[in-house]
Amino acid sequence: MSKDLLLEIGTEEIPAHYMPSILSQIKDLAHKKLDEANISYESIRSLGTPRRVALLIAGVAEKQSDVSAKNKGPSVKIAYDSEGKPTKAAMGFARGQKIAVEDLVVEDGYVYANVTTIGKDTASLLPDILKDIILSLSFPKSMIWGDQTVHFVRPLRWFVALFGTDVVPFEIAKVKSGRISRGHRFLGTGDFEIPSMKDYEAVTREHFLIVDPEERKQMILQGMQKLADEKGGTIIMDEDLLEEVVFLVEYPTALCGEFDTEFLQLPEAAIITPMKDHQRYFPMRDKDGKLMNLFLTVRNGDDYHLETVQHGNERVLRARLDDAKFFFEEDKKKKLIDRVDDLQRIVFQDGLGTLKDKAQRLEQITTFLNHKLDLGLDDGDLTRLSDLAKTDLLTQMVAEFTELQGVMGREYAMIDGEKQEIADAINEQYLPRFAGDELPQTTMGKVLGIADKFDTITGSFSLGLIPTGSQDPFALRRQTIGILNILMDAGWNLNCDEVFAFILNLLHVEEDKQAEVMSQLNEYFTLRLKNIFQDKGMDYHIIDCVLASDTLNASEAAKRADALIRADLMSQTELLQAYTRVGNMVKDADDTQVNPDLFETEEERALYGAVVAMQANLPQKYAVYDYAGAAEVLTEGIGAINAFLDNVLVMHKDEAVKQNRLNLLTLTFSLIQPIGDIKKLS
């Protein structure tokens, strides 16, 4: 026998960007808690609006499953005396298992208790289970209210908890569970009763609540598409904005508004940003791809007096665009290059100087990278770029719309007549702005982007501002991942440690402290690179193999990892075992000078001959990351390696012979070391 279970948590409006995580969490918690309680069920759904989080669980068993267990006790020797009578140990074990001592079973020299725990009625367990689920939810920020000590994302207002048609009784923060929910704030008629889980979506719909986020999303998309088609436009879709709007409304109705065509003279970004980031509007383009003086938005309600709502939205947007137009016209009166000295007025970060100091460091870092990577960029252009990089932060437009940093820098640079590549790089320095965002496409943009991020991260670490699991106020984690992805995308073989050292010297960090900061940076970057590889689905053996290196080179590590995957080296057990045996003998030795005159056995001569032959063919394989080809060459030495290790005493009493044999093994192991730490592949 089974019943359906409904839990609705009613709150004040929950921040939209919290909702996807909350719905995922509550579903996972329900699975976990019911499984732990041995309560079977058919399916679990999580639904929600800004004011409610709902859990719908179909086919919940009315009784816990009985659990049978075979519990191991003491050995027979301890459980029974010489006459075969149970000892105190056996009787104590039986008592603890709540069975008679005569019911103990002997197997494999031990006594066992076959115990069956009879399941309880589900209804009696649900109050604690539901409370546990609610209080186990976690949020980026929580609140307390009134005289309560309970922390929750927003104040709790009501609970609906029904098992079948019966209320599951519990209380949290003085709010008792029942069957009464609340309708839409403006369209609903107040409180209403929910008979059961099966009625939930239908009854809530009657009170202007679309509790299924996917249904709301489709209503929004269909409503906006209909309007776009009527206007002959194409929606500039933003999935993150769409998700946010889905969780801002309980009953969506799309509407279209317009603004004066005079604002289309502004740069697109200056129009789109106030629309999307400030007003949650969707812009549109015409059939030629040009921005239209129209926008789409979503009302939390029906279409009653929709024109009034439309006009209100138009007035708000006009005010924002008026501001943007004023700022744009004022900013154009002063060129970016004339703002450079004003950077001295803005502190970049306490302990790291002003934005002018940062600009001067960027000039040196970009030049260093240009020559280190042999990019062939003009150093004069890099100087100009570094001077201009942060100047748009002084403009009124960026001061008002901070999301436009870099974007407006590019616009103003083009108006000022700067080179196109310099203008593009000013914008690209901030890419990627978020996970999954595009990477810089121009060489100058890549150089400035990683220089800026390297400077911020290295400087912060030098001040002890190291991110923790929960605290990363300067977004150093995102910037680190950005550097690594840019380097791998560009294929630039750059040792990050050299950049750390260069910047620490620019910052005049004491020499005795540099080693500590370098170690912290190396560890932090390596862990981020490991996470990137894991997200790509790489085997952890391969990740550990390529990251066990003295140099932190993201591009090189990525190429070696891809080569290992293609070569399927992990399946070549005989090859790995042979060279791992050699590696275990030499460990950290680095002397590869071998004197053939000191050889005393045929095995030594055979191994040396094989090594010399392989040395001739391996470099060209490694140069193009042909690890499959390298493995074929390395296989030629397996027989000689095993014969040497099986028949030759390495630790010879003659110190010269002993050292020569160790050097021969070190030379042999060096042949496979470009791949990484092969011991990690086992």
Side-chain angles (χ1 to χ4, degrees):
M1 298 292 289
S2 65
K3 295 180 180 178
D4 296 328
L5 175 64
L6 170 67
L7 171 66
E8 182 185 70
I9 307 168
T11 69
E12 297 296 328
E13 277 77 0
I14 299 171
H17 58 286
Y18 287 11
M19 284 297 293
S21 171
I22 293 173
L23 294 184
S24 176
Q25 280 188 68
I26 198 168
K27 186 175 180 180
D28 291 343
L29 283 167
H31 278 296
K32 179 183 177 183
K33 300 300 180 183
L34 291 176
D35 289 345
E36 288 176 350
N38 294 310
I39 299 173
S40 64
Y41 51 90
E42 293 175 5
S43 64
I44 298 180
R45 296 172 65 204
S46 58
L47 307 176
T49 74
R51 299 173 62 216
R52 71 202 70 232
V53 176
L55 196 57
L56 287 72
I57 310 178
V60 179
E62 294 187 52
K63 182 174 171 294
Q64 276 182 310
S65 301
D66 295 342
V67 179
S68 296
K70 189 175 185 178
N71 300 326
K72 187 177 181 179
S75 67
V76 173
K77 292 181 180 179
I78 296 175
Y80 299 99
D81 60 21
S82 58
E83 298 178 1
K85 295 180 180 179
T87 64
K88 290 183 178 180
M91 290 186 284
F93 174 65
R95 186 167 52 253
Q97 299 296 313
K98 298 181 180 179
I99 65 171
V101 71
E102 295 81 12
D103 293 332
L104 292 176
V105 178
V106 175
E107 285 185 22
D108 303 325
Y110 289 87
V111 296
Y112 291 85
N114 292 319
V115 180
T116 298
T117 302
I118 304 300
K120 298 179 181 178
D121 289 338
T122 299
S124 66
L125 303 171
L126 284 178
D128 287 338
I129 290 175
L130 295 185
K131 285 181 64 175
D132 196 10
I133 289 173
I134 295 168
L135 296 176
S136 295
L137 291 168
S138 62
F139 318 99
K141 291 183 179 179
S142 296
M143 296 178 64
I144 56 173
W145 58 96
D147 60 353
Q148 301 303 309
T149 58
V150 172
H151 288 68
F152 206 71
V153 60
R154 286 295 183 268
L156 294 163
R157 293 302 183 225
W158 75 89
F159 296 121
V160 174
L162 299 174
F163 187 42
T165 58
D166 299 325
V167 171
V168 179
F170 64 85
E171 180 177 341
I172 299 177
K174 297 182 181 178
V175 178
K176 294 182 178 180
S177 60
R179 62 173 73 251
I180 305 299
S181 183
R182 298 184 185 179
H184 190 283
R185 277 203 188 276
F186 313 116
L187 304 178
T189 55
D191 295 351
F192 63 94
E193 185 175 291
I194 298 176
S196 69
M197 188 204 83
K198 283 186 171 62
D199 303 305
Y200 181 64
E201 290 180 82
V203 173
T204 52
R205 190 185 307 276
E206 292 174 3
H207 292 79
F208 298 94
L209 302 170
I210 307 300
V211 291
D212 186 343
E214 185 58 34
E215 184 180 351
R216 288 202 305 279
K217 179 179 178 179
Q218 293 307 315
M219 289 176 66
I220 291 168
L221 286 173
Q222 291 168 11
M224 292 199 305
Q225 190 60 55
K226 180 181 178 182
L227 293 171
D229 291 342
E230 291 174 357
K231 301 294 183 180
T234 301
I235 306 169
I236 302 178
M237 186 53 64
D238 183 314
E239 291 299 327
D240 290 335
L241 176 58
L242 177 60
E243 181 179 271
E244 182 179 6
V245 171
V246 165
F247 288 109
L248 284 173
V249 298
E250 292 191 307
Y251 192 88
T253 300
L255 63 89
C256 181
E258 64 179 298
F259 55 89
D260 292 343
T261 55
E262 65 175 291
F263 294 119
L264 293 176
Q265 304 303 313
L266 290 169
E268 272 198 7
I271 304 171
I272 292 175
T273 295
M275 275 195 200
K276 290 170 61 175
D277 295 355
H278 294 259
Q279 302 305 131
R280 305 326 187 248
Y281 298 164
F282 293 84
M284 286 196 292
R285 297 190 187 279
D286 63 21
K287 63 180 185 302
D288 297 322
K290 295 181 180 179
L291 194 66
M292 302 176 73
N293 65 319
L294 299 172
F295 65 88
L296 300 171
T297 188
V298 179
R299 177 192 191 182
N300 184 21
D302 58 11
D303 58 2
Y304 183 69
H305 283 323
L306 200 60
E307 299 83 1
T308 303
V309 179
Q310 173 189 328
H311 295 325
N313 280 276
E314 290 172 345
R315 283 199 304 273
V316 173
L317 180 59
R318 179 183 177 86
R320 302 297 288 179
L321 294 179
D322 273 333
D323 289 343
K325 182 181 178 183
F326 173 78
F327 297 144
F328 183 61
E329 296 300 329
E330 289 296 305
D331 289 340
K332 287 193 298 182
K333 295 177 181 178
K334 187 174 184 178
K335 292 187 174 183
L336 291 181
I337 196 64
D338 296 331
R339 300 177 186 271
V340 173
D341 289 339
D342 292 337
L343 292 172
Q344 191 64 43
R345 296 188 289 104
I346 302 179
V347 175
F348 164 57
Q349 191 169 308
D350 190 25
L352 298 178
T354 64
L355 284 180
K356 183 69 177 294
D357 296 321
K358 184 175 181 66
Q360 292 171 344
R361 289 197 301 274
L362 288 178
E363 177 185 346
Q364 297 180 71
I365 299 168
T366 54
T367 302
F368 170 80
L369 292 171
N370 183 32
H371 294 283
K372 175 64 66 174
L373 295 168
D374 194 23
L375 299 175
L377 297 173
D378 183 272
D379 287 345
D381 286 346
L382 291 176
T383 298
R384 182 77 170 187
L385 174 61
S386 300
D387 285 342
L388 297 175
K390 302 299 178 184
T391 52
D392 70 332
L393 300 179
L394 298 166
T395 64
Q396 295 186 61
M397 183 73 85
V398 175
E400 178 69 16
F401 304 109
T402 56
E403 305 92 334
L404 292 177
Q405 63 178 2
V407 177
M408 292 311 301
R410 178 182 182 276
E411 295 290 338
Y412 293 138
M414 292 175 64
I415 291 171
D416 294 347
E418 299 291 345
K419 291 183 178 179
Q420 184 68 52
E421 54 267 34
I422 289 178
D424 289 339
I426 291 173
N427 177 37
E428 290 184 328
Q429 67 178 303
Y430 296 106
L431 299 178
R433 289 183 171 87
F434 50 84
D437 191 18
E438 62 179 325
L439 299 175
Q441 296 301 305
T442 68
T443 302
M444 290 186 73
K446 294 172 185 177
V447 170
L448 179 60
I450 63 174
D452 183 28
K453 295 173 180 64
F454 266 124
D455 177 71
T456 300
I457 297 165
T458 307
S460 297
F461 270 66
S462 73
L463 298 175
L465 302 175
I466 302 174
T468 64
S470 59
Q471 298 292 323
D472 185 16
F474 302 108
L476 301 186
R477 184 179 293 104
R478 174 178 57 79
Q479 294 186 66
T480 300
I481 294 172
I483 289 174
L484 295 171
N485 280 322
I486 292 171
L487 289 175
M488 289 187 288
D489 179 69
W492 288 349
N493 287 327
L494 180 68
N495 182 0
C496 296
D497 290 330
E498 294 181 3
V499 187
F500 300 149
F502 182 80
I503 296 174
L504 289 172
N505 285 326
L506 289 181
L507 294 170
H508 306 294
V509 176
E510 300 87 346
E511 286 189 16
D512 58 344
K513 186 180 178 182
Q514 283 196 21
E516 177 188 356
V517 177
M518 290 267 291
S519 176
Q520 292 170 335
L521 284 164
N522 189 295
E523 181 182 355
Y524 189 76
F525 269 63
T526 300
L527 183 56
R528 303 283 86 72
L529 185 55
K530 185 174 184 178
N531 291 340
I532 291 173
F533 289 162
Q534 287 175 336
D535 290 342
K536 291 182 178 180
M538 289 186 186
D539 187 287
Y540 75 91
H541 293 93
I542 290 176
I543 297 173
D544 291 343
C545 174
V546 299
L547 293 184
S549 173
D550 294 333
T551 59
L552 176 55
N553 186 327
S555 178
E556 178 75 11
K559 291 172 184 174
R560 288 192 287 117
D562 289 339
L564 277 173
I565 293 170
R566 290 196 304 273
D568 193 22
L569 203 61
M570 288 176 61
S571 67
Q572 302 191 40
T573 307
E574 189 178 5
L575 174 69
L576 293 177
Q577 286 178 344
Y579 284 91
T580 298
R581 289 181 69 191
V582 177
N584 290 335
M585 290 291 295
V586 298
K587 299 191 183 300
D588 298 324
D590 56 6
D591 191 346
T592 58
Q593 296 297 316
V594 178
N595 183 0
D597 294 336
L598 294 176
F599 291 159
E600 296 183 350
T601 68
E602 285 302 319
E603 287 83 358
E604 289 173 282
R605 297 184 184 92
L607 179 57
Y608 184 66
V611 168
V612 171
M614 289 187 289
Q615 277 182 314
N617 297 319
L618 283 171
Q620 56 266 41
K621 303 294 184 183
Y622 287 136
V624 294
Y625 300 94
D626 180 9
Y627 284 7
E632 288 183 15
V633 176
L634 291 165
T635 300
E636 297 169 5
I638 294 176
I641 289 172
N642 290 332
F644 179 95
L645 293 176
D646 291 343
N647 301 297
V648 177
L649 177 63
V650 176
M651 310 308 285
H652 197 278
K653 61 183 178 181
D654 185 323
E655 183 62 30
V657 174
K658 166 190 167 185
Q659 191 59 50
N660 196 57
R661 289 176 177 175
L662 285 171
N663 290 357
L664 175 57
L665 290 175
T666 303
L667 178 63
T668 304
F669 191 61
S670 70
L671 299 179
I672 201 170
Q673 281 183 300
I675 290 175
D677 186 353
I678 62 163
K679 300 173 190 175
K680 303 293 186 181
L681 296 178
S682 301

